Amino acid sequence: LALYFHTGEREEKCIIEDIPSETLVVGNYKVQRWDIHTHDFLESAPGLGMFVTVTSPTGEVLLSKLYGPQGTFTFTSYISGEHIICFQSNSTRFAVIAGSKLRIHLDIRVGEHFLDESAIQAKDKVNEVNVRLENLIEQIHHVTREQDYEREREEKFRKTSEETNSNILWWAIVQTLILISVGIWQIKSLRDFFISKKLV
């Protein structure tokens, strides 16, 4: 996931990421500040920082930390579901300027384990193969977890669909019974009316 979004000074903006359990998430971000003279976004001034907060689907705070104008944050999900990632600047210098805003460039990678190439080059070929093999095995485990999570979501969606279809069927039956009852009552009322008027 790579995107950018605009936010105001000290305004909190959040995104939602659907993440499988036991998955490493790595996020890189960079903040740019709107310059009223050039009418463009410029690199942020020193001292501008970002509070990054990550909340699990159960409401548990997995990460809450102050970073600089650009940085990298990581966390590991413990349960599957929608994780909320929020950003808020700690800036006060430009908060009084009307219309001041920030642009946040964000790149989130889910389940990726990056190789330290310098460490690999420093070792012999056998160790290099071992490290790369371990990385491939970890990626396979991640794909397996992703597939299991998708199966869980599909099963939950299927159950919800079946329950909805069952409710629709019962509602249709109830409607039919109500219509039949109203029809019978109308026929009986008309019959009684005609009999009372001695038309039948």
Side-chain angles (χ1 to χ4, degrees):
L1 173 68
L3 54 87
Y4 73 85
F5 54 90
H6 294 152
T7 181
E9 298 280 348
R10 299 195 58 83
E11 177 185 357
E12 185 177 56
K13 280 290 179 79
C14 300
I15 63 168
I16 297 175
E17 272 291 305
D18 208 351
I19 303 170
S21 61
E22 301 299 326
T23 301
L24 175 68
V25 178
V26 179
N28 291 298
Y29 75 89
K30 181 178 73 171
V31 182
Q32 293 178 306
R33 180 177 49 84
W34 176 255
D35 187 273
I36 58 174
H37 302 296
T38 62
H39 296 287
D40 195 9
F41 286 96
L42 303 179
E43 298 303 317
S44 298
L48 178 66
M50 293 296 294
F51 287 104
V52 180
T53 306
V54 179
T55 308
S56 72
T58 60
E60 178 186 358
V61 176
L62 301 179
L63 174 69
S64 182
K65 189 174 177 182
L66 175 62
Y67 294 88
Q70 67 180 56
T72 300
F73 61 91
T74 60
F75 67 92
T76 301
S77 62
Y78 295 102
I79 60 172
S80 303
E82 294 182 340
H83 290 67
I84 302 173
I85 305 171
C86 296
F87 299 86
Q88 184 180 26
S89 73
N90 70 338
S91 170
T92 56
R93 181 179 177 185
F94 306 103
V96 295
I97 300 176
S100 62
K101 57 184 175 179
L102 304 173
R103 175 182 285 174
I104 301 175
H105 297 266
L106 179 63
D107 180 20
I108 293 179
R109 290 165 290 195
V110 178
E112 293 191 13
H113 293 266
F114 303 102
L115 294 174
D116 185 352
E117 296 294 339
S118 60
I120 291 174
Q121 291 172 1
K123 298 179 179 180
D124 58 28
K125 290 294 181 183
V126 175
N127 286 341
E128 179 182 349
V129 170
N130 283 338
V131 171
R132 291 190 184 277
L133 184 60
E134 287 173 6
N135 185 261
L136 285 174
I137 291 172
E138 178 59 36
Q139 289 180 355
I140 290 171
H141 289 319
H142 171 66
V143 170
T144 303
R145 286 193 297 268
E146 283 272 1
Q147 289 176 335
D148 290 340
Y149 181 49
E150 290 302 323
R151 273 194 289 270
E152 288 174 15
R153 291 181 64 190
E154 183 182 353
E155 183 178 350
K156 183 179 178 182
F157 179 75
R158 183 176 50 79
K159 286 180 180 177
T160 303
S161 298
E162 288 174 357
E163 289 173 3
T164 303
N165 289 337
S166 175
N167 291 338
I168 290 172
L169 175 63
W170 282 110
W171 177 242
I173 291 172
V174 168
Q175 280 184 316
T176 303
L177 292 175
I178 291 172
L179 287 173
I180 291 172
S181 301
V182 169
I184 292 173
W185 177 79
Q186 284 182 330
I187 291 171
K188 185 178 181 304
S189 297
L190 282 171
R191 184 172 165 269
D192 292 344
F193 173 75
F194 288 140
I195 290 173
S196 66
K197 297 294 183 181
K198 297 181 180 179
L199 297 173
V200 177

